[in-house]
Amino acid sequence: MKGKRILLGISGGIAAYKCCALVRLMVKAGAHVQVVLTPDAAEFVSPLTLSVLSKNRVLSAFSTQDGQWNNHVDLALQSDLLIIAPATANTLGKMANGLCDNLLLATYLSAKCSVMFAPAMDLDMHEHPSVKQNIKQLISYGNHLIPAESGELASGLVGAGRMAEPETIMQHIVNYFDGDKKLKGKQVLVTAGPTYEAIDPVRFIGNHSTGKMGLAIATAFAAQGAEVILICGPGVQQLSNNSNINRIDVIAASEMHQVCVHHFKKADITIMAAAVADYKPAQAATQKIKKKGENLIIDLLKNPDILQDLGTKKTAKQLLIGFALETQNELEHAKDKLKRKNLDAIILNSLNDKGAGFGGDTNKVTFIFKSKKNKALPLMSKQMVAETLVVEVVKLME
Ligand code: C5P
């Protein structure tokens, strides 16, 4: 982060006071920080405090009191990163829709650098469909969401809407700069979601995977310049267009296997986050199976273990990382898989941990490496897990 030029845009919410700590952390890490306030933000945090902490003057209006223009175009062009924190519902809405009635918004619209935004607002506002839509819209522009956290809000309500803590925002920034360009030109293969194994034309054997973890991983690698082949099982949510991600949809494990083997040869890094069905019906019926007796016995055949197969094909230059979702003796099972499948690392999550596993937006994982100490992470957003994984992968490659 040393020497990086960071623009911090603060909009008018109570969480603005936390930006004093954020500015300190950034300055301590060696960044040049330029603060831009919306007119309302100064009600919540003093420009003088921010100026002392950032060792820089604080900007808020299009011109200074002695009539000099604060050039938002230069501000935006000279920065390596723009962070908008807190991003209030009002500022989010304006950013999403191209409105531009203050210096911060003009700077945002002129920015060529990456943009991060950390929403902060009351529970019901955060839940409102229009706010959700605006956040989605900003993500589709390539802006990087630092999700709001759950907890007690200024209103006294408890729920999602609290701005991420300064340390968490800092981690996003560090992750962003640490991976800076190091993955440019790297080929990354990611699998996500479940597989469906046909019983007949109507039914299948599947599982609860939604592919959120795999999508977050693909997005995090793509954000660092990697060219990602993302192989998705059925039902995985569509991502907004990202020129660094090439998505291939498959249904069954055998199909996923074929596509993975094809793309694996060129992959520098492979992360298998899909929940592949271990067994499939030996014979999928061609017609819908009719209800008859009290029991129905379906003969199951073992599916290929895609990860294990790639492990046998892996060269010394390739990194291969798997997931282990366990319900008991977690560490032991994960370490066994790491060895058996010839992996460089395995990411363990346990269904016994609240907030971990299928469907949700959070995960609690431990990275288990072949050749260095384990790294246990606290409960965090899947996006954050993915970004931390990118940092670890970059270290492994070094
Ligand atoms: O052995 P287990 O299924 O728990 O291993 C999980 C890891 O193996 C995940 O990374 C998953 O994507 C991968 N896997 C696979 N093919 C299978 C089963 C699991 O690639 N048939």
Side-chain angles (χ1 to χ4, degrees):
M1 256 184 91
K2 219 175 166 68
K4 296 291 181 193
R5 307 190 74 85
I6 301 180
L7 256 178
L8 173 62
I10 304 179
S11 60
I14 180 62
Y17 81 92
K18 291 190 191 172
C19 289
C20 297
L22 177 60
V23 171
R24 273 201 88 210
L25 290 172
M26 293 195 285
V27 170
K28 228 172 139 189
H32 297 287
V33 181
Q34 173 65 69
V35 176
V36 180
L37 297 176
T38 63
D40 284 345
E43 299 283 332
F44 293 95
V45 61
S46 140
L48 182 60
T49 311
L50 291 164
S51 169
V52 173
L53 292 174
S54 66
K55 306 181 199 305
N56 207 349
R57 67 197 182 107
V58 167
L59 307 176
S60 170
F62 282 102
S63 61
T64 60
Q65 277 180 348
D66 57 357
Q68 287 187 39
W69 184 41
N70 287 323
N71 187 335
H72 58 86
V73 177
D74 282 353
L75 266 179
L77 292 182
Q78 285 160 6
S79 301
D80 298 302
L81 179 66
L82 167 60
I83 305 164
I84 300 177
T88 58
N90 180 47
T91 290
L92 281 180
K94 289 177 177 173
M95 286 163 67
N97 292 287
L99 300 187
C100 182
D101 62 0
N102 62 48
L103 180 66
L104 174 56
L105 292 165
T107 307
Y108 166 72
L109 288 180
S110 314
K112 291 262 191 299
C113 60
S114 292
V115 177
M116 295 184 176
F117 65 105
M121 63 204 72
D122 207 45
L123 176 66
D124 296 322
M125 297 167 79
H126 190 254
E127 281 302 304
H128 197 279
S130 64
V131 170
K132 287 187 168 170
Q133 186 53 39
N134 287 335
I135 290 178
K136 261 199 195 150
Q137 191 69 36
L138 291 175
I139 293 172
S140 79
Y141 299 156
N143 297 167
H144 174 112
L145 168 69
I146 302 178
E149 295 174 355
S150 281
E152 193 173 331
L153 300 161
S155 63
L157 292 176
V158 177
R162 244 164 70 144
M163 188 178 83
E165 292 302 320
E167 291 74 14
T168 308
I169 298 180
M170 191 62 187
Q171 189 65 50
H172 281 268
I173 301 168
V174 169
N175 287 354
Y176 173 77
F177 285 122
D178 268 7
D180 202 5
K181 304 231 170 21
K182 288 192 179 121
L183 294 177
K184 231 187 169 108
K186 295 283 174 205
Q187 303 276 334
V188 179
L189 177 63
V190 180
T191 62
T195 62
Y196 286 178
E197 312 298 327
I199 297 172
D200 65 16
V202 181
R203 291 91 168 202
F204 59 83
I205 296 176
N207 58 66
H208 295 298
S209 172
T210 55
K212 280 189 178 175
M213 192 64 248
L215 288 187
I217 291 171
T219 308
F221 275 96
Q224 295 303 337
E227 286 161 32
V228 180
I229 304 275
L230 171 62
I231 303 173
C232 291
V236 175
Q237 176 203 330
Q238 286 297 331
L239 276 176
S240 49
N241 272 347
N242 183 326
S243 57
N244 282 6
I245 301 180
N246 182 3
R247 171 172 171 152
I248 303 169
D249 286 302
V250 298
I251 298 192
S254 54
E255 198 187 343
M256 185 177 274
H257 186 206
Q258 258 185 9
V259 181
C260 281
V261 169
H262 178 74
H263 288 281
F264 183 66
K265 289 175 217 132
K266 279 199 183 161
D268 299 292
I269 303 153
T270 298
I271 320 273
M272 301 283 289
V276 185
D278 289 328
Y279 291 89
K280 65 172 180 186
Q283 195 76 57
T286 49
Q287 303 298 329
K288 186 178 170 195
I289 299 174
K290 287 290 173 200
K291 201 174 353 175
K292 275 192 227 138
E294 285 305 306
N295 296 328
L296 172 68
I297 295 173
I298 299 172
D299 196 16
L300 298 181
L301 262 187
K302 201 165 190 184
N303 262 330
D305 190 315
I306 307 169
L307 185 57
Q308 191 153 0
D309 184 37
L310 299 185
T312 63
K313 297 180 163 61
K314 182 169 99 82
T315 66
K317 280 196 196 151
Q318 290 178 301
L319 278 184
L320 182 59
I321 299 178
F323 268 78
L325 177 67
E326 304 293 340
T327 55
Q328 56 179 345
N329 298 336
E330 290 93 339
L331 263 179
E332 202 182 305
H333 283 137
K335 281 183 182 165
D336 170 61
K337 275 176 203 170
L338 175 85
K339 255 205 192 141
R340 196 159 35 83
K341 303 195 185 193
N342 189 26
L343 310 179
D344 297 284
I346 192 153
I347 302 164
L348 166 66
N349 50 6
S350 166
L351 278 190
N352 295 323
D353 286 324
K354 219 175 148 233
F358 290 134
D361 290 321
T362 56
N363 210 350
K364 186 168 185 295
V365 305
T366 302
F367 294 145
I368 300 168
F369 298 101
K370 181 169 99 182
S371 49
K372 58 177 193 157
K373 267 179 64 184
N374 299 350
K375 186 175 180 137
L377 302 179
L379 182 70
M380 51 174 68
S381 65
K382 286 186 172 165
Q383 180 192 340
M384 191 71 171
V385 170
E387 287 172 17
T388 311
L389 173 64
V390 171
V391 172
E392 292 300 329
V393 164
V394 169
K395 284 189 203 155
L396 284 180
M397 289 198 314
E398 281 164 356

